[in-house]
Amino acid sequence: MEAIEVLQRPLPTRESDRDWDLFAPFWEATREGKLKVQQCTVTKKKVWPPRFVSPYSPGADLVWVPIEGKGKVYTYNISYRSFLSYFKDKVPYALVVVELDEGVRMLGNAVGMDLDRIHCGMEIEATFEKVNEDITLVNWKPVERGQE
């Protein structure tokens, strides 16, 4: 009997992600089209990914705060091969690490752009992709400029 490969998108779930509860405020914000990260209550420095203890002041509380979601491409990778079935029809695609204006870096898919035009230092902003009731992914697109 031949095995049938399922083209399922790899996503975190409550069952598979041991840190689901730690990330819960992030997922709640993304469902509303917003970004939140933690902030150290002593140093006021932003923290990403979320943690239980501040890396800047051990013993300090961490609180969730909203951020704007704009920054610059710190680095990127364009994938031309798919290692998971789900991505077979999606190559090439780009992953970007964005250095946000608030000082943290986030990883995500680049969308809405010609992949040949991605470069380090490119201005980029968050955009949101609702996948299901629990997950709204953060993707990154070029900053839209108003008419000057």
Side-chain angles (χ1 to χ4, degrees):
M1 179 180 280
E2 189 174 313
I4 298 174
E5 193 168 1
V6 178
L7 299 177
Q8 188 172 20
R9 187 173 194 171
L11 293 168
T13 64
R14 293 178 193 279
E15 294 75 33
S16 69
D17 186 355
R18 69 178 183 184
D19 292 330
W20 182 268
D21 291 336
L22 180 60
F23 278 79
F26 171 77
W27 292 123
E28 289 168 15
T30 61
R31 283 193 294 274
E32 297 175 9
K34 299 175 184 171
L35 281 181
K36 282 188 175 181
V37 296
Q38 291 176 315
Q39 178 175 280
C40 174
T41 56
V42 172
T43 66
K44 305 301 182 208
K45 290 184 180 181
K46 305 296 187 280
V47 177
W48 185 261
R51 303 184 179 146
F52 293 106
V53 177
S54 172
Y56 303 112
S57 184
D61 288 332
L62 291 168
V63 294
W64 286 90
V65 296
I67 60 171
E68 189 175 355
K70 290 187 178 185
K72 294 182 180 177
V73 173
Y74 177 77
T75 191
Y76 65 96
N77 181 63
I78 300 175
S79 294
Y80 295 93
R81 288 183 62 193
S82 169
F83 294 97
L84 295 174
S85 308
Y86 175 80
F87 297 104
K88 184 177 180 182
D89 298 331
K90 294 172 181 37
V91 290
Y93 62 89
L95 293 174
V96 292
V97 175
V98 178
E99 183 149 6
L100 294 161
D101 295 342
E102 290 85 1
V104 294
R105 294 180 186 150
M106 285 190 177
L107 173 70
N109 292 316
V111 298
M113 68 179 86
D114 178 353
L115 299 183
D116 292 332
R117 300 196 64 165
I118 297 174
H119 61 275
C120 292
M122 177 181 198
E123 291 183 23
I124 205 156
E125 63 187 350
T127 184
F128 300 90
E129 175 191 357
K130 182 176 179 169
V131 178
N132 59 41
E133 291 305 313
D134 287 329
I135 302 292
T136 297
L137 295 176
V138 179
N139 293 319
W140 301 94
K141 67 177 185 172
V143 169
E144 295 179 14
R145 301 253 181 236
Q147 297 199 351
E148 299 172 18

